[in-house]
Amino acid sequence: MLELFYPQKIMDSVYHISYENLWDRGIRGLIFDIDNTLVPHGAPADENIQKLFLRLHHMGFKICLLSNNKMPRVASFASQVDALYIYKAQKPSPKGYERAMKQMKTYPATTVFVGDQIFTDIWGANRAGIYSVLVKPINPKEEIQIVLKRYPEKLILFFFRRKRLKTCQAEFRNS
């Protein structure tokens, strides 16, 4: 049951993801959450994010921003990084993820999603059949509804890490 919320991978930040490895595995589309994934909540695209997106564009990736935020916030950020976007995505509904793939002309097997929240970002990506990467939130100061969700997220991550440890131990014993 909890597996519905498990990411396929956990990384410290978007800067620690091996995009070259993803490209070599056939990934062609990247979907990103914005707030607390790419920048602190409400912040514009900074120089580092702009450089990352420029690098990803040069590699050949199609990129779409998927946010539950309103159009002015999402459109403004998307224009700063030259990305497709979907606002008011209603995550965790898979429909926004499916729309993002349609815009990028990719499929679940060729798409990766990156976000900072389990109950919206990761659960939605998993429901859409997309490889999900959870990154640590950039800024600990968050809106109260997000702060309250962080407590059950910690419990899910505890069980996720415990399951991963057991899997690694079993693989080691069998090798």
Side-chain angles (χ1 to χ4, degrees):
M1 163 92 169
L2 289 179
E3 288 84 5
L4 297 169
F5 302 105
Y6 290 172
Q8 276 74 43
K9 193 155 199 102
I10 298 176
M11 303 299 290
D12 284 339
S13 78
V14 296
Y15 302 107
H16 290 92
I17 297 169
S18 174
Y19 297 100
E20 292 78 10
N21 182 275
L22 293 177
W23 184 265
D24 290 345
R25 288 182 28 219
I27 301 301
R28 297 298 180 259
L30 300 171
I31 305 172
F32 290 95
D33 175 50
I34 301 172
D35 291 316
N36 243 357
T37 297
L38 299 174
V39 295
H41 188 81
D46 61 25
E47 184 179 338
N48 290 330
I49 283 297
Q50 289 175 346
K51 285 181 182 176
L52 174 64
F53 273 61
L54 186 61
R55 182 177 139 231
L56 296 174
H57 286 303
H58 283 288
M59 290 178 70
F61 283 109
K62 301 263 177 33
I63 302 171
C64 188
L65 303 173
L66 186 67
S67 176
N68 285 345
N69 215 321
K70 296 176 183 161
M71 198 267 274
R73 164 68 175 144
V74 181
S76 171
F77 194 92
S79 70
Q80 295 171 339
V81 295
D82 189 28
L84 301 167
Y85 66 92
I86 295 171
Y87 64 94
K88 289 188 179 178
Q90 299 180 335
K91 295 181 286 184
S93 170
K95 291 178 183 173
Y97 300 84
E98 291 161 359
R99 285 180 51 211
M101 288 186 286
K102 187 173 182 178
Q103 284 186 19
M104 296 186 299
K105 297 179 175 70
T106 62
Y107 304 94
T110 62
T111 306
V112 166
F113 176 84
V114 182
D116 71 298
Q117 293 187 55
I118 287 177
F119 294 116
T120 52
D121 299 329
I122 302 305
W123 187 27
N126 291 347
R127 291 175 71 197
I130 300 171
Y131 188 94
S132 58
V133 178
L134 178 70
V135 295
K136 293 180 181 174
I138 293 172
N139 191 340
K141 290 190 175 194
E142 297 177 300
E143 297 171 354
I144 188 66
Q145 69 270 18
I146 297 172
V147 171
L148 294 174
K149 288 191 277 184
R150 295 294 184 195
Y151 293 105
E153 281 185 359
K154 288 178 184 177
L155 185 63
I156 288 171
L157 289 173
F158 168 80
F159 286 110
F160 170 77
R161 288 183 176 105
R162 191 169 87 174
K163 181 179 179 182
R164 183 197 276 167
L165 179 63
K166 286 180 181 179
T167 302
C168 289
Q169 289 171 340
E171 289 173 1
F172 180 76
R173 282 192 301 272
N174 294 332
S175 61

